[in-house]
Structures are given as structure tokens and as C-alpha cells.
Amino acid sequence: MKTIFKFIGLFFKGIWKLITFIRLALVNLIFVATLAIIYFAFTQTDVQPVTPVQQSALVLNLSGPIVEQRRYVSPMDSLTGSVFGQELPKENVLFDIVDTIRHAKDDDNITGIVLALRDLPETNLTKLRYVAKAINEFKSSGKPVYAVGAFYNQSQYYLASYADKVYLAPDGAVLIKGYSAYNLYYKTLLEKLEVNTHVFRVGSYKSAIEPFVRDDMSDEAKETASRWLGQLWGAYVEDVSTTAKFHHLFLTLRWMSF
């Protein structure tokens, strides 16, 4: 008799464990689904291009850095940011910018492009050239391109130089300072901290380890840096001098209202 009751008890105990497992599994699935919904609600940025119902200009507001791939934002960061009112990092995907410009070229409702470059940080020349190429393709359609800003840094002015007209605020400025390279050197610091370094180097132009063995840049490192920085600056100057309309910038000192 005890064996029968024991068997019945084990049977119901097994059923209870099965019910508990199913309940926990369902709760976990609901929790994961909720996180997924929150994630896509706050991080989904791919939207279908909206066709304007009437002719208008495309305002290309490049606010934030230009990146080749958008950085990953975890669902938890997205959730906490929305709760505490913190904005997610603004990024412009390079290929999205170019695709947008190319789409606008063939859109009959787009009559021109306005480059709003106020919040565009310094960007490497390779990315700027890719965007500039798309702007030139757009201009080949006969549609105008205008650049507006209260102040132009070096990268902003590079893109602005491809516009048909560059508008600058009366009290604005253009800051072009060239390219440079800086290193930090730790030799004296390491000596004071009594830190020993073991460096093996072959060749005068192997400057990667100089911060650990010098307090300044060697002549060979200066020569190398000057060479590639000079080539980069030469490419910038050539591009801008070819495309820029300086009289448009300095004679059209008025602010556009939108």
C-alpha cells in the first residue's frame, strides 16, 4: 500500500515540476519578447524614404560623426537612456548619406539640396570625398546645392566648397588649420616611476616605440609624419581650390531663414 501511495506522490510531484517549468519558461519568453520590443522601438532607424507631395529642397542635416557602420547600442542602454531622458549617440552612416543624395538626384520633387553642416565634427578626408562625389553627381542633374552655417570648420568647409553657393552668418568664420599628428612621450615619467622597458627596434624609421624611449619626436619620425600629412593636406587643398567659389562665400554674407 505504501508503494502505491509513494508512486502516486511521485506522479503528482512530477506533474507539479512540469507545470512549474512551463510557467517559468512562459514568463522568460514574455520577458525576452518585451526586451526585444523595447530594443526595436528605440533603436530602429531604418525608415522608408518619404516622397514629398510637392517640390521642395532636401535639407541634409549632418548632425554627428560620419561612420561606416552604426555602433551597437544594447537594449538596456536604450531603455535607461529613454527613461532618464538621455539621447542616443547621433551618427550618420556614410552609405545612407550617399544613397539619399543619389535618390534625390532622380526625384522630380527634389529641386535642390541644402547642406546644414553646423553639427558635423571633423571627419577624415576619405569619407568627405565619398560624400562630395555624390554631391557632384547630384549637381550633374542641374539642381542647385547650397551650404549654410554660422561657422565652418575644416571638414564642414570641404563639403561646403562643393555647393553652388556658401552662406555664412555675418559674424561667422571659417577655421582651416591643416592636418597634424601628436604623440605623448613617457621616458622621463617612466624613469621617475622606476619603470623599466625592454625595447627591440630595427631601423631608424620604426617610431612606434619612441614614446617609451624619448621625450620628443625624432627627426626620422618628423620626416615620416610630414610626408604623409603633406600628401593629405595637398589633396585637401587641391580639391577645395578646384571646387570652391570663394567670391560666393565672402560676398554673400547674409543668413538664410527657414
Side-chain angles (χ1 to χ4, degrees):
M1 199 68 176
K2 289 183 178 180
T3 305
I4 295 176
F5 282 111
K6 185 178 181 180
F7 175 81
I8 294 174
L10 292 174
F11 176 77
F12 283 104
K13 186 177 181 181
I15 292 178
W16 182 254
K17 287 184 177 180
L18 178 62
I19 294 174
T20 302
F21 172 79
I22 294 174
R23 177 172 56 84
L24 293 175
L26 289 175
V27 172
N28 289 336
L29 287 175
I30 294 173
F31 178 75
V32 172
T34 303
L35 288 181
I37 292 173
I38 294 174
Y39 172 76
F40 285 106
F42 289 98
T43 62
Q44 188 70 22
T45 56
D46 295 329
V47 295
Q48 296 297 325
V50 179
T51 302
V53 295
Q54 59 183 358
Q55 290 189 336
S56 58
L58 171 64
V59 179
L60 203 62
N61 184 13
L62 301 181
S63 177
I66 298 177
V67 297
E68 295 184 8
Q69 184 175 4
R70 200 180 306 276
R71 75 177 67 178
Y72 171 76
V73 179
S74 67
M76 187 57 64
D77 292 340
S78 176
L79 177 61
T80 55
S82 62
V83 170
F84 293 102
Q86 299 175 352
E87 294 186 358
L88 293 175
K90 295 181 179 180
E91 296 176 332
N92 302 288
V93 179
L94 176 62
F95 307 105
D96 291 346
I97 297 173
V98 172
D99 289 341
T100 300
I101 297 174
R102 289 174 176 170
H103 177 78
K105 172 188 174 184
D106 300 322
D107 191 336
D108 294 334
N109 289 325
I110 298 296
T111 58
I113 286 181
V114 177
L115 299 175
L117 306 171
R118 183 182 64 179
D119 297 321
L120 175 68
E122 293 290 357
T123 307
N124 68 61
L125 188 58
T126 303
K127 295 176 183 177
L128 294 175
R129 277 182 159 180
Y130 194 45
V131 177
K133 179 182 178 182
I135 294 176
N136 273 339
E137 293 175 359
F138 178 86
K139 291 170 60 178
S140 67
S141 65
K143 301 176 182 179
V145 177
Y146 301 98
V148 295
F151 173 89
Y152 291 102
N153 63 27
Q154 188 164 295
S155 297
Q156 293 169 358
Y157 185 68
Y158 181 90
L159 291 181
S161 69
Y162 283 82
D164 296 290
K165 285 188 178 182
V166 181
Y167 290 88
L168 179 69
D171 57 347
V174 178
L175 178 61
I176 299 179
K177 55 184 180 181
Y179 293 104
S180 58
Y182 300 92
N183 275 332
L184 295 177
Y185 295 87
Y186 317 108
K187 178 184 176 183
T188 301
L189 173 64
L190 295 177
E191 290 176 352
K192 291 182 178 180
L193 295 175
E194 297 183 355
V195 176
N196 298 322
T197 59
H198 300 277
V199 176
F200 301 91
R201 181 176 72 167
V202 177
S204 301
Y205 291 89
K206 301 297 183 180
S207 58
I209 49 83
E210 284 189 356
F212 303 101
V213 297
R214 295 180 59 94
D215 285 323
D216 58 357
M217 184 180 291
S218 67
D219 293 336
E220 292 80 6
K222 290 179 181 179
E223 179 184 349
T224 303
S226 298
R227 183 173 300 177
W228 69 265
L229 288 171
Q231 292 176 349
L232 190 63
W233 177 239
Y236 180 96
V237 171
E238 181 179 0
D239 290 349
V240 170
S241 61
T242 302
T243 59
K245 306 291 191 296
F246 292 100
H247 58 282
H248 284 156
L249 173 63
F250 294 110
L251 295 182
T252 316
L253 297 181
R254 60 179 182 272
W255 184 245
M256 295 182 66
S257 300
F258 296 95

